[in-house]
Amino acid sequence: MELVIEKINQLKGNISVPGDKSISHRSLILGSIAQGETRIYNFLNSLDCLQTLECMQSLGAEIELGEDNFIKIKGKGLYGLQEPKDMLEVGNSGTTIRLLAGLLSGQNFYSVLNGDHSIRKRPMKRVVQPLRLMGADIWGREDGQLAPLSIKGSLLNPLQYTLPVASAQVKSALLLAGLYAAGETIIKEPLLTRDHTERMLSLMEADIMISHQEIIIIGGKYLKGTDLFIPGDISSAAYFIAAASMLKSSQIVISQVGVNPTRTGIIKILKRMGAKINILNYQLKSNEPRADLEIEYSELKGIEIMPEEVPFLIDELPLIALVATQAEGKTIVSGAKELRVKETDRLKAIVSELKKMGANIKEKEDGFIVVGPSKLQGAACESYHDHRIAMSLAIAALLAEGKTVIKNSECIDISFPGFENTLQKLISF
Ligand code: S3P
């Protein structure tokens, strides 16, 4: 599929965005191993999350997907999952494969996790190595570096581990394995990453203690099924926050967006660049903060983004590269080497496509440097089958003279089905 987008003048109106992807994955996994019923509201019905749903069903979970993104799960309890009859297919979803690797390491059966072309190239040793330290029998190509992963689960040993890469997926895999370990698993993170797993585990009454950068989980305690209200995904809202900040006379409101402090890097960084973003109606629901965001156009300036800020806006960095092209002066991003092992090499992809559109951008080994402002021109662009690259380019196209074509744009459905319709609402208000 090709997405064709032309320049527009402004965005106006009120929208909401679909449910948070990270929280949706976790709600399926934890709801399936909880006791009693879990009801999920505003589940993200996107390709990635449906992949987790199918995997959990193959493991025997009773999950019903109803109308309006409502899900009901009859929990199986910690020890109620069953050996799947076939390979578990995770599609394009890194969260699914890594979190399930942790969960499956603690089951008393055999399973295999497989994924698409992109997943089979992404690094898995980061979960395999600590899971092996817990006693898991887990294998993959190149000594566990690459999927498919094959797992013979067992009772695990507790672990004390400092995360060598800032990754919420690795942390969450170890917390899930920790539920099945005989004793206290302690995980330290030198750089804070998204904490949705910890929050949901606390809500479901797991034996978990969280201090600033250390999490302790004690295995064996049953989780309690609960009602989970999922906020809008800030990573999806980010495209419209950025667009409204860059397009003159824009003024929009995005309602009920998740504003968990481990995810709001995009708001902090854009504000530092000069953006006008108001946070309204803040509330905590299902142990996750949410708010309405009001955004209006503002002049932007280039800034430096430091390595410790990167985990808080890891998925928004391709979009930041675009915003920097419209900001006065230099923007430098460092410490973002992780972008090279996402769905595609996002540093290479965004630098190459924004260059085609006329941006003054240079790739660094661990980030990029942009000098702005630049007038962008429409171009024929590649999505690299990566949803975040496709949507970042769609927003770039709104600013570019002429027409932009984004190839293989169907990947947007991985995280944001309805992206085009939501954009259309703001254009035709
Ligand atoms: C995610 C964690 C991040 C993020 C991904 C979702 C999660 O990945 O990029 O989109 O749900 O835990 P890493 O753990 O690889 O940083």
Side-chain angles (χ1 to χ4, degrees), residues 180-334:
Y180 296 90
E184 217 176 71
T185 292
I186 304 175
I187 300 162
K188 292 191 180 126
E189 17 177 29
L191 289 182
L192 267 185
T193 63
R194 64 189 69 190
D195 63 358
H196 306 300
T197 309
E198 297 91 297
R199 284 173 181 263
M200 202 177 286
L201 282 167
S202 297
L203 189 70
M204 292 181 149
E205 300 181 8
D207 222 338
I208 184 166
M209 278 148 286
I210 304 151
S211 61
H212 189 50
Q213 262 150 286
E214 182 177 286
I215 308 142
I216 303 177
I217 187 151
I218 301 170
K221 167 110 191 274
Y222 273 77
L223 306 178
K224 195 165 163 230
T226 188
D227 282 356
L228 295 170
F229 295 90
I230 301 184
D233 195 326
I234 189 166
S235 295
S236 299
Y239 299 102
F240 305 111
I241 302 174
S245 300
M246 292 186 289
L247 285 161
K248 280 205 174 104
S249 329
S250 294
Q251 188 165 34
I252 67 168
V253 174
I254 315 176
S255 54
Q256 300 291 294
V257 180
V259 287
N260 177 318
T262 59
R263 296 284 300 281
T264 45
I266 180 71
I267 296 179
K268 281 198 194 117
I269 294 295
L270 286 178
K271 277 189 168 175
R272 220 155 82 209
M273 294 177 89
K276 288 190 188 153
I277 305 169
N278 277 324
I279 300 181
L280 311 166
N281 303 322
Y282 179 96
Q283 56 171 313
L284 193 71
K285 227 171 161 179
S286 301
N287 211 18
E288 286 282 353
R290 57 170 72 198
D292 299 335
L293 303 178
E294 185 183 59
I295 305 105
E296 59 181 287
Y297 164 78
S298 174
E299 283 190 6
L300 302 171
K301 59 177 194 305
I303 59 162
E304 186 165 358
I305 299 176
M306 306 310 284
E308 61 274 18
E309 299 178 296
V310 162
F312 298 154
L313 79 164
I314 184 78
D315 293 336
E316 286 69 71
L317 285 170
L319 184 64
I320 289 288
L322 163 66
V323 175
T325 70
Q326 302 308 299
E328 182 75 44
K330 199 186 257 186
T331 295
I332 306 175
V333 172
S334 309

Side-chain angles (χ1 to χ4, degrees), residues 403-424:
K403 202 187 264 181
T404 298
V405 179
I406 301 156
K407 291 184 214 153
N408 300 310
S409 61
E410 64 284 345
C411 57
I412 289 174
D413 287 350
I414 295 276
S415 65
F416 196 161
F419 171 77
E420 248 188 288
N421 286 344
T422 307
L423 177 58
Q424 204 52 50

Side-chain angles (χ1 to χ4, degrees), residues 21-22 25-26 95 98-99 122 126 166-170 172 194 196 314-315 338 342-343 346 388:
K21 180 156 88 69
S22 292
H25 283 296
R26 287 153 172 84
T95 305
R98 297 206 178 103
L99 268 59
R122 297 180 63 185
R126 53 182 64 194
S167 162
Q169 292 176 353
V170 176
S172 302
R194 64 189 69 190
H196 306 300
I314 184 78
D315 293 336
E338 272 295 299
K342 295 288 178 192
E343 284 82 332
R346 286 184 176 160
R388 306 247 174 251

Side-chain angles (χ1 to χ4, degrees), residues 59-194:
L59 291 162
E62 285 182 59
I63 307 176
E64 252 175 68
L65 177 55
E67 300 271 287
D68 290 333
N69 305 318
F70 170 71
I71 287 204
K72 195 154 80 182
I73 307 180
K74 248 201 230 160
K76 291 281 167 192
L78 272 189
Y79 303 100
L81 298 178
Q82 296 158 13
E83 183 168 280
K85 294 193 172 59
D86 212 332
M87 282 207 286
L88 298 166
E89 295 291 344
V90 308
N92 190 245
S93 175
T95 305
T96 311
I97 193 163
R98 297 206 178 103
L99 268 59
L100 289 190
L103 177 78
L104 293 168
S105 292
Q107 311 301 317
N108 65 350
F109 54 72
Y110 175 72
S111 53
V112 178
L113 288 160
N114 190 27
D116 71 5
H117 182 68
S118 148
I119 276 291
R120 289 197 303 272
K121 288 198 292 200
R122 297 180 63 185
M124 294 299 145
K125 201 61 168 281
R126 53 182 64 194
V127 281
V128 166
Q129 189 251 343
L131 287 170
R132 282 180 178 165
L133 292 176
M134 296 179 85
D137 198 1
I138 173 166
W139 288 93
R141 289 176 298 138
E142 296 182 16
D143 188 27
Q145 177 63 278
L146 299 173
L149 298 178
S150 136
I151 305 166
K152 173 72 188 76
S154 58
L155 182 67
L156 300 173
N157 307 314
L159 175 74
Q160 281 204 26
Y161 193 69
T162 302
L163 293 178
V165 263
S167 162
Q169 292 176 353
V170 176
K171 172 176 65 174
S172 302
L174 300 180
L175 289 173
L176 288 168
L179 289 172
Y180 296 90
E184 217 176 71
T185 292
I186 304 175
I187 300 162
K188 292 191 180 126
E189 17 177 29
L191 289 182
L192 267 185
T193 63
R194 64 189 69 190

